[in-house]
């Protein structure tokens, strides 16, 4: 038994698992401390991974050598690619997972990761050194562990308080204890903290549901998945989800419960997630809506426990039950547990650098809901970056920072540390100004080389990546150079109702047409089919990647040019070069916000809310002087 480590990670949620796994894989002796080893990577709310923009984050985690995509694929019981009707920049993978197998798979990975140890306990105190850095933790069992770096991923456990109507229960999750001490200690040191709220819906016994009164939502079983590794597949039996909706009778019952709703009677004073509102919030915010969609989703491969997506609530139990019984499919409903809300502590993320290290304490990192985010994927992306940088702090090397044009994870972290949060932060494609560059299909092209250079991607994964890239580029080059004769092209054009060609053309030009895909054209062109058959691994993924590059080449190149122009400002470093409080040429608001954030670059300064273009111009002039 050892008590000295390079990195200690506090909390084994999605952020903590990725942080500990990353640090250990890179070679740091790492300790992961969790209250319950049987709840590692617990999916506290929806047993699903991915979704709009979140699916892109999971693919980025996988491209960098993280584990979330692998675990999700191995435990998925339904997979869907969302936003297929839109362009590929909006395509977002999403999977339902078996909640228990998700935990078991993650625990199996962690227990078998070299350099990684686990300790079951809670942390009540951080140990600081005279140099202004962190040097370890003290647990509730009065055990002291020393470390060169500490990553806090406390989720909803710091002073967690659950609400079901007027009933209040202390805890980080239902039936799990609360964590005390860390918030108070950090606030005493000068950190700014606040309170946020989230919630979860009722869990329903499937044996009491009338499934014949709901619409079925089937999954997809094509080649799409989360991990880029070709030998990772969905192994479990695939299950359907089900769709129903609320009605006016349901809304009337819910309104009766509003006086006892913690959200509306003043019991809850913190801010909840705007984009995942409770059902009582929906009927108040949208009084003209006669119904709201509900999605009944299985919690596992064989379980009868179902999650009712869209019915998050902290109303009294009797109100929740009566409202559910007013929905025909749930008229005989039995529930395993009601929905509830939970309030918890978080820290203003503008107190962090882009590495997720705190500005006030060297080698102390925050990741996940402690930074004011919501969602497993946002937490896991932060955990990966924090774990990597904690390792680098221990062993040397350049900081690992992802740009806004490189990854959704980069957008997420830059938004947090530059703008801060006033409500739980959730990632959307609309938050990324370069979303054509940040597609789910090319996350490996963007990030796997970075992971290999860093050491988080091993040689075998890099070999698979290089083979895929070579096959993709070869297919694109073939399309650019291969000439299609009219007698080859015209039958295909005729079949889709297009006028015939009068002269030959390059294959590239045919693929540009929205009516064609590489696969459909290959049926008419033996030479193209032959090229495709030479691709032995990840064939469908290679074809899709090549086709997207061809069809959207103009948009991609234009966005790259814009990103390159902005990148020039990212290379103008200003941290430590100004005493903002003395610059009279800029507004008082600008002085205050620049002093608070202390941006690394001119580009980061320009993204701070309240900083005007004229403020940036003045900084550039002063920098020139």
């Amino acid at each position: 038994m050892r008590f000295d480590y390079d990195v200690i990670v506090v909390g084994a949620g999605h952020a903590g698992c990725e942080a500990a796994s990353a640090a250990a894989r890179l070679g740091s002796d790492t300790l992961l401390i969790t209250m319950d080893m049987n709840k590692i990577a617990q999916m506290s709310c929806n047993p699903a991974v991915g979704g709009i923009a979140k699916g892109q984050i999971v693919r980025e985690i996988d491209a960098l050598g993280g584990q979330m995509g692998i675990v999700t694929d191995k435990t998925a019981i339904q997979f869907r690619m969302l936003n297929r009707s839109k362009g590929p920049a909006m395509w977002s993978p999403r999977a339902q997972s078996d909640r228990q197998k998700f935990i078991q798979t993650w625990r199996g990975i962690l227990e078998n990761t070299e350099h990684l140890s686990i300790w079951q306990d809670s942390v009540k105190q951080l140990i600081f050194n005279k140099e202004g850095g962190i040097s370890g933790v003290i647990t509730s069992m009065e055990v002291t562990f020393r470390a060169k770096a500490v990553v806090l991923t406390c989720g909803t456990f710091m002073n967690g308080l659950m609400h079901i109507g007027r009933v209040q229960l202390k805890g980080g999750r239902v039936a799990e204890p609360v964590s005390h001490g860390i918030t108070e200690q950090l606030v005493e040191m000068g950190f700014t903290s606040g309170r946020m709220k989230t919630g979860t819906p009722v869990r329903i016994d499937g044996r009491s549901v009338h499934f014949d009164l709901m619409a079925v939502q089937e999954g997809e079983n094509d080649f799409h998945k989360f991990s880029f590794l070709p030998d990772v597949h969905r192994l479990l039996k695939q299950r359907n989800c089900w769709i129903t909706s609320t009605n006016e009778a349901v809304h009337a019952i819910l309104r009766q419960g509003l006086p006892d709703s913690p959200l509306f009677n003043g019991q809850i004073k913190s801010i909840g997630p705007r984009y995942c509102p409770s059902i009582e919030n929906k009927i108040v915010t949208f009084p003209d809506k006669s119904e709201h969609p509900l999605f009944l989703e299985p919690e596992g491969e064989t379980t009868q426990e179902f999650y009712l997506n869209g019915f998050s609530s902290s109303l009294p139990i009797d109100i929740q039950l009566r409202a559910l019984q007013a929905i025909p499919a749930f008229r005989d409903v039995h529930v395993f547990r009601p929905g509830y809300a939970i309030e918890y502590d978080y820290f203003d993320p503008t107190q962090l650098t882009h590495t997720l290290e705190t500005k006030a304490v060297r080698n102390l990192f925050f990741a996940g809901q402690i930074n004011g985010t919501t969602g497993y994927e946002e937490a896991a992306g932060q955990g990966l970056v924090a774990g990597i940088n904690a390792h680098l702090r221990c062993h040397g090397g350049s900081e690992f920072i992802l740009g806004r044009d490189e990854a959704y994870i980069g957008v997420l972290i830059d938004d947090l540390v530059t703008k801060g949060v006033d409500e739980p932060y959730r990632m959307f494609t609309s938050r990324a100004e370069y979303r054509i560059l940040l597609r789910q299909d090319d996350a490996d092209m963007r990030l796997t080389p970075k992971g290999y250079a860093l050491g988080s991607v091993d040689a075998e994964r890099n070999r698979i990546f290089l083979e895929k890239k070579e096959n993709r580029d070869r297919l694109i080059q073939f399309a650019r150079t291969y000439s299609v004769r009219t007698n080859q092209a015209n039958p295909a054009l005729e079949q889709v109702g297009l006028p015939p060609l009068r002269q030959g053309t390059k294959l590239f030009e045919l693929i540009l047409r929205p009516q064609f895909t590489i696969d459909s054209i290959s049926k008419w062109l033996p030479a193209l089919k032959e090229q495709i058959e030479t691709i032995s691994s990840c064939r469908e993924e290679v074809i899709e990647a090549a086709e997207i590059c061809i069809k959207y080449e103009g948009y991609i190149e234009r966005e790259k040019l814009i990103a390159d122009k902005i990148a020039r400002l990212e290379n103008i470093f200003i941290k430590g070069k100004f005493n903002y409080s003395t610059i009279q040429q800029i507004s008082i608001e600008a002085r205050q916000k620049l002093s608070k954030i202390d941006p690394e670059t001119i580009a980061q300064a320009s993204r701070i809310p309240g900083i005007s273009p004229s403020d940036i111009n003045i900084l550039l002039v002063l920098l020139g002087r």
Side-chain angles (χ1 to χ4, degrees):
M1 184 69 190
R2 60 182 301 177
F3 298 90
D4 291 282
Y5 292 87
D6 294 322
V7 177
I8 290 175
V9 178
V10 180
H14 303 277
C17 287
E18 290 291 356
S21 175
R25 288 197 320 275
L26 287 169
S28 283
D29 289 323
T30 305
L31 178 67
L32 176 61
I33 301 178
T34 175
M35 289 183 178
D36 189 345
M37 290 175 63
N38 296 314
K39 298 287 180 65
I40 283 173
Q42 167 74 294
M43 304 172 98
S44 307
C45 198
N46 193 352
V49 171
I52 306 302
K54 294 168 173 281
Q56 283 88 329
I57 290 176
V58 180
R59 295 219 91 191
E60 290 172 354
I61 291 168
D62 184 77
L64 285 166
Q67 304 299 307
M68 190 179 217
I70 294 171
V71 174
T72 303
D73 285 335
K74 288 183 176 180
T75 62
I77 55 176
Q78 188 188 91
F79 182 92
R80 294 173 64 225
M81 183 67 76
L82 307 183
N83 276 347
R84 280 186 184 271
S85 62
K86 301 178 181 179
M90 305 294 284
W91 296 354
S92 302
R94 182 185 186 273
Q96 291 291 129
S97 279
D98 184 302
R99 184 189 298 276
Q100 293 303 317
K101 289 185 172 68
F102 193 92
I103 292 171
Q104 293 162 9
T105 304
W106 247 120
R107 178 169 169 172
I109 288 171
L110 295 173
E111 287 185 344
N112 291 284
T113 297
E114 195 175 353
H115 303 296
L116 178 57
S117 300
I118 303 174
W119 177 256
Q120 184 167 296
D121 201 347
S122 62
V123 170
K124 68 173 186 177
Q125 186 178 340
L126 305 175
I127 303 172
F128 302 102
N129 54 46
K130 295 178 181 179
E131 291 74 36
I134 190 92
S135 58
V137 302
I138 300 174
T139 74
S140 295
M141 295 181 188
E142 297 292 346
V143 180
T144 297
F145 291 101
R146 299 281 176 178
K148 300 172 186 174
V150 173
V151 184
L152 291 185
T153 68
C154 304
T156 60
F157 282 80
M158 290 194 301
N159 295 319
L161 182 64
M162 293 174 285
H163 302 262
I164 307 171
R166 295 187 182 274
V167 176
Q168 296 181 334
L169 302 168
K170 291 183 179 181
R173 259 189 313 249
V174 67
E176 294 185 53
V178 70
S179 172
H180 293 297
I182 294 178
T183 298
E184 294 77 8
Q185 188 181 12
L186 291 173
V187 168
E188 191 175 332
M189 291 188 65
F191 282 83
T192 300
S193 75
R195 296 282 279 175
M196 281 190 175
K197 168 260 173 190
T198 189
T200 192
V202 61
R203 302 305 199 274
I204 288 176
D205 186 339
R207 294 169 297 179
S208 65
V209 174
H210 296 273
F211 288 97
D212 57 315
L213 299 178
M214 292 189 289
V216 66
Q217 185 181 53
E218 297 179 346
E220 301 169 0
N221 288 298
D222 63 6
F223 68 91
H224 289 105
K225 54 192 180 77
F226 281 103
S227 180
F228 289 98
L229 293 174
D231 58 346
V232 176
H233 304 286
R234 291 189 286 278
L235 305 172
L236 305 184
K237 172 187 173 184
Q238 300 298 286
R239 296 189 65 177
N240 293 330
C241 294
W242 306 85
I243 306 173
T244 185
S245 62
T246 61
N247 53 50
E248 287 288 9
V250 174
H251 296 182
I253 295 169
L254 294 172
R255 289 189 191 98
Q256 291 173 18
L258 291 180
D260 292 316
S261 168
L263 289 176
F264 297 102
N265 66 10
Q267 188 172 307
I268 290 178
K269 297 180 173 60
S270 51
I271 301 169
R274 177 191 303 268
Y275 301 104
C276 189
S278 64
I279 189 65
E280 54 264 39
N281 230 327
K282 291 178 187 176
I283 65 167
V284 171
T285 307
F286 306 104
D288 56 320
K289 296 284 186 182
S290 60
E291 61 180 39
H292 292 284
L294 302 175
F295 301 85
L296 192 65
E297 302 169 338
E299 296 251 341
E301 184 182 22
T302 59
T303 182
Q304 287 292 345
E305 186 177 2
F306 283 79
Y307 174 99
L308 189 57
N309 199 339
F311 204 84
S312 178
S313 179
S314 58
L315 286 165
I317 294 175
D318 63 314
I319 296 294
Q320 292 188 41
L321 283 173
R322 285 173 52 207
L324 286 172
Q325 289 162 353
I327 299 170
F330 302 135
R331 64 173 181 260
D332 300 313
V333 73
H334 175 85
V335 305
F336 290 121
R337 73 167 186 259
Y340 64 91
I342 181 167
E343 291 183 284
Y344 56 94
D345 293 339
Y346 81 100
F347 287 88
D348 180 357
T350 61
Q351 299 170 105
L352 306 174
T353 70
H354 281 80
T355 65
L356 297 181
E357 183 180 20
T358 65
K359 295 174 181 176
V361 178
R362 185 178 174 85
N363 291 4
L364 175 62
F365 296 80
F366 293 171
Q369 283 179 284
I370 192 173
N371 292 335
T373 62
T374 180
Y376 313 141
E377 305 81 3
E378 290 89 340
Q382 293 172 70
L384 181 70
V385 171
I388 289 171
N389 281 299
H391 163 81
L392 293 171
R393 272 299 197 189
C394 295
H395 300 283
S398 301
E399 296 176 335
F400 181 70
I401 297 173
L402 293 169
R404 297 182 70 91
D405 60 336
E406 293 177 315
Y408 272 96
I409 298 172
V411 175
L412 162 67
I413 293 175
D414 184 64
D415 279 353
L416 292 176
V417 305
T418 302
K419 301 175 182 178
V421 293
D422 54 12
E423 62 185 51
Y425 180 102
R426 181 179 179 179
M427 179 53 72
F428 290 102
T429 51
S430 58
R431 295 193 189 273
E433 56 269 56
Y434 307 117
R435 57 182 175 267
I436 296 176
L437 303 181
L438 306 183
R439 308 181 310 277
Q440 61 85 29
D441 67 275
D442 77 333
D444 56 342
M445 300 294 166
R446 291 182 274 122
L447 300 176
T448 296
K450 290 179 177 292
Y452 184 62
L454 186 68
S456 61
V457 167
D458 62 24
E460 176 59 16
R461 179 186 277 264
N462 190 60
R463 183 196 65 76
I464 293 168
F465 160 73
L466 291 174
E467 180 183 340
K468 176 187 171 183
K469 185 175 186 298
E470 180 185 354
N471 285 330
R472 183 203 67 170
D473 294 346
R474 181 163 47 83
L475 192 55
I476 294 171
Q477 185 60 24
F478 178 80
R480 288 188 191 280
T481 57
Y482 185 78
S483 296
V484 183
R485 299 189 302 274
T486 54
N487 64 337
Q488 293 175 304
N490 287 342
L493 291 166
E494 182 181 352
Q495 190 176 62
V496 296
L498 294 176
L501 297 178
R502 295 184 178 179
Q503 59 184 29
T505 187
K506 295 296 182 186
L507 174 58
F508 194 92
E509 298 300 322
L510 280 182
I511 297 172
L512 284 175
R513 298 183 180 224
Q515 296 87 350
F516 288 131
T517 65
I518 289 177
D519 187 58
S520 67
I521 295 176
S522 69
K523 297 171 184 175
W524 301 91
L525 294 177
L528 175 57
K529 190 172 184 180
E530 187 177 318
Q531 280 289 319
I532 291 172
E533 288 174 351
T534 64
I535 303 170
S536 58
S537 179
C538 307
R539 181 179 296 173
E540 294 95 339
E541 200 164 273
V542 169
I543 292 170
E544 181 179 84
E547 189 170 302
I548 290 171
C549 288
I550 291 170
K551 287 184 178 293
Y552 295 88
E553 182 184 49
Y555 299 100
I556 293 170
E557 291 304 316
R558 184 176 66 184
E559 201 152 273
K560 281 181 180 177
L561 288 174
I562 296 170
D564 288 343
K565 288 179 180 179
I566 299 298
R568 297 171 195 168
L569 297 180
E570 298 285 3
N571 293 323
I572 302 177
F573 294 92
I574 58 174
K575 189 176 180 66
K577 295 185 177 180
F578 293 113
N579 179 355
Y580 296 108
S581 62
T582 65
I583 303 176
Q584 299 300 315
Q585 299 95 320
I586 62 178
S587 67
I588 294 175
E589 180 185 9
R591 278 180 250 160
Q592 292 171 341
K593 290 189 172 180
L594 287 167
S595 297
K596 177 185 176 183
I597 304 298
D598 193 15
E600 296 280 345
T601 66
I602 283 288
Q604 186 191 356
S606 71
R607 293 190 291 270
I608 299 173
I611 305 300
S612 68
S614 63
D615 295 327
I616 296 300
N617 286 335
I618 289 168
L619 291 180
L620 286 169
V621 169
L622 294 175
L623 195 67
R625 289 179 183 174

